[in-house]
Amino acid sequence: MIYYASYNIFAFANGMFGIFINILFFTRFSILSVMEYQAAIQTTQTIMFIVSGYILRFTNARALFSIGTIARSVIIFGMIFIRGPFYVPYTFGLLYGIPSGVFWAGNNTLSQAITRKVNRFNFLSTNSALSSAAGLLAPLIAGFIVSESHGTGIARYRLDFLISALLLIAAGIIAMTIRETGERRKSFSVRDTIINNPEYLRFKIFFFLSNMMTIVISTFVPVYVFYLTHSYIIAGFFGTFSAIIVISSNVSSMYLQRRIGSSYRTIIAIVIASSFLYAVRGQYAIIAVFVASGIITFLMTPLGNAAMSSFMNFLDGIEYTSGYWINREYYLVSGRIIAFLILSVISIAGVSIYDYALAIPALSFTVIGYIKALK
């Protein structure tokens, strides 16, 4: 229960911050700056994922979870009060990725330890539903705050970001009271993250492909919604809408768990077909975006939970799991960076932002990678 509380306060803070930091960089600089920021995060996050493996020699996963959360707030405070390098998209991304890597390294190994004796699919579905509930109002509240704030640049977003930072501190403090400490390693080296287990190959393929479409949707689509409507409130509502879809998907998937295993190919086909709605332009574009995002989010949530449950069950036979979690990050980040590079090339080509949306149907075929993990 303490883990749920801490993680979901983190989710609420992230819901207030995540969408609007992208919109800030888009309105202040350009869509390319958003891609630079996201790519920078992925770079340092991966590095710190590796470094965290060494840190586990001296501490435990719970400590990494707490330290990473609180350190995130410090970087946000830097943007609010210091600016300078904190206000440069790429630099901010590099800095923000450092505590992010520490946090996710701690969270992954901690959740692995917490769920050894419970139904992992239900745990992942419950935690995803709760975090979505925590993020249900966060984007909408943030949208109202930003909309009603005055000033330009960071001044308009200051209150929203300040609240987010304070919530992150609260989440980190609560995490310190979690009883389960998670994995601690007596030794670690980069060699431990190079996995040659043939049974793990199917997960490598899954991890590389799994985030290429979803990272574009979560990063670009809220900015696209703002571009189409010029409304902070509607951009925030999009985050709330997405949270509602995730909650309903998780609740239904816990009752339909067995059917997911036998119908995942059909689900994947529907996801790919729905992605072509992003190509709609004109007065119906915003409606198409909400419909496509709703369908894809609803279907991808149980697919992701089922695949991750399969991976965590695989890890039960592994003595030290942190090397696998780090190796997973290699493939996830590689896929994300390739997706951002595709969007960056589109931006450099000087095409309309509408053309960014055309990348989503192309990337939707990467969802086929889930088949490997769900076999």
Side-chain angles (χ1 to χ4, degrees), residues 159-171:
L159 180 58
D160 174 36
F161 291 177
L162 180 61
I163 294 172
S164 300
L166 293 174
L167 287 172
L168 286 172
I169 292 174

Side-chain angles (χ1 to χ4, degrees), residues 307-327:
M308 280 304 298
S309 180
S310 175
F311 173 60
M312 294 173 79
N313 289 338
F314 166 77
L315 289 183
D316 278 339
I318 308 298
E319 183 177 4
Y320 293 118
T321 64
S322 59
Y324 280 82
W325 284 111
I326 294 173
N327 184 272

Side-chain angles (χ1 to χ4, degrees), residues 256-328:
L256 300 174
Q257 180 179 354
R258 292 181 179 177
R259 293 188 180 181
I260 292 171
S262 60
S263 60
Y264 61 85
R265 293 178 185 272
T266 301
I267 293 174
I268 288 172
I270 296 173
V271 167
I272 294 173
S274 300
S275 70
F276 284 86
L277 287 171
Y278 287 110
V280 174
R281 298 191 180 188
Q283 61 181 332
Y284 298 109
I286 187 64
I287 297 174
V289 166
F290 271 83
V291 172
S293 299
I295 294 173
I296 291 172
T297 301
F298 186 85
L299 297 177
M300 290 299 295
T301 299
L303 278 180
N305 290 342
M308 280 304 298
S309 180
S310 175
F311 173 60
M312 294 173 79
N313 289 338
F314 166 77
L315 289 183
D316 278 339
I318 308 298
E319 183 177 4
Y320 293 118
T321 64
S322 59
Y324 280 82
W325 284 111
I326 294 173
N327 184 272
R328 166 181 176 262

Side-chain angles (χ1 to χ4, degrees), residues 48 74 115 134 201 214 233 309 374:
M48 288 310 299
V74 174
T115 59
L201 177 61
T214 55
I233 294 176
S309 180
L374 293 170

Side-chain angles (χ1 to χ4, degrees), residues 312-366:
M312 294 173 79
N313 289 338
F314 166 77
L315 289 183
D316 278 339
I318 308 298
E319 183 177 4
Y320 293 118
T321 64
S322 59
Y324 280 82
W325 284 111
I326 294 173
N327 184 272
R328 166 181 176 262
E329 196 69 13
Y330 294 158
Y331 289 91
L332 285 175
V333 170
S334 296
R336 291 168 187 165
I337 289 179
I338 288 175
F340 289 135
L341 285 174
I342 292 172
L343 294 183
S344 296
V345 170
I346 294 174
S347 177
I348 294 171
V351 299
S352 166
I353 194 169
Y354 284 107
D355 295 317
Y356 274 82
L358 298 178
I360 299 177
L363 290 172
S364 70
F365 288 92
T366 61

